[in-house]
Amino acid sequence: MLSKTAEYALRAVTCLGTRIGQPSSADVLAEQTKVPRRYLNRVLQDLAAAGLVRSRSGPGGGYELAKEPAEITILDVVNAVAPLERINACPLGLKSHTSLCPLHAELDRAYEATQAAFAGVTMQQLLESTNPIIPLREVS
């Protein structure tokens, strides 16, 4: 359901959320998130363009969140790199379908519910989860 790009962006933001005040190099992020470095660079650029991540050059530089994790939702991250597309018109281009047919209307309702669910969860909530499985880390 989510694109690989969105998955990678969520990994990067989650990782950065665990390192507040500690900029991370692209190499460190690539290693921790298991995202290919070249791909990660593009994802980080998209996140920066959306105002979710910022970069600092030079010694002690790297990438960091531009907002607090409590201000970033899953939907914000997904929309920054690979927005969920809604169905507003017949995907087949059928002229007689002036509104969505039952199939596409139902699919669009599912996309709407997904957007609402993603908008309701912040990165802070993910990071503070009581689930014993910590994102991006092996359980010891």
Side-chain angles (χ1 to χ4, degrees), residues 3 27 41 53 63 65 76 90 93 96 100 113 120 130:
S3 70
D27 288 334
N41 281 335
V53 167
Y63 293 92
L65 293 182
D76 293 332
C90 177
S96 63
L100 295 180
T130 58

Side-chain angles (χ1 to χ4, degrees), residues 29-129:
L29 286 171
E31 180 183 325
Q32 290 185 346
T33 61
K34 308 296 186 235
V35 175
R37 176 124 171 14
R38 290 183 76 184
Y39 204 142
L40 182 62
N41 281 335
R42 194 183 101 214
V43 168
L44 290 167
Q45 288 172 354
D46 289 345
L47 291 170
L52 300 177
V53 167
R54 65 175 165 251
S55 65
R56 293 189 319 197
S57 352
Y63 293 92
E64 59 189 346
L65 293 182
K67 299 179 177 184
E68 293 296 320
E71 298 172 3
I72 302 171
T73 66
I74 291 175
L75 186 62
D76 293 332
V77 177
V78 171
N79 281 342
V81 297
L84 297 174
E85 293 194 27
R86 298 288 302 276
I87 303 173
N88 299 313
C90 177
L92 301 174
L94 300 174
K95 302 244 186 269
S96 63
H97 289 202
T98 57
S99 62
L100 295 180
C101 71
L103 169 65
H104 291 114
E106 196 58 43
L107 291 174
D108 187 59
R109 277 191 285 283
Y111 294 146
E112 179 181 37
T114 300
Q115 282 182 320
F118 288 172
V121 180
T122 67
M123 300 312 295
Q124 187 71 37
Q125 288 171 301
L126 293 177
L127 294 169
E128 292 178 347
S129 171

Side-chain angles (χ1 to χ4, degrees), residues 8-18 47 53 65 72 77 123:
Y8 287 173
L10 287 164
R11 289 186 204 176
V13 171
T14 300
C15 187
L16 292 171
T18 65
L47 291 170
V53 167
L65 293 182
I72 302 171
V77 177
M123 300 312 295

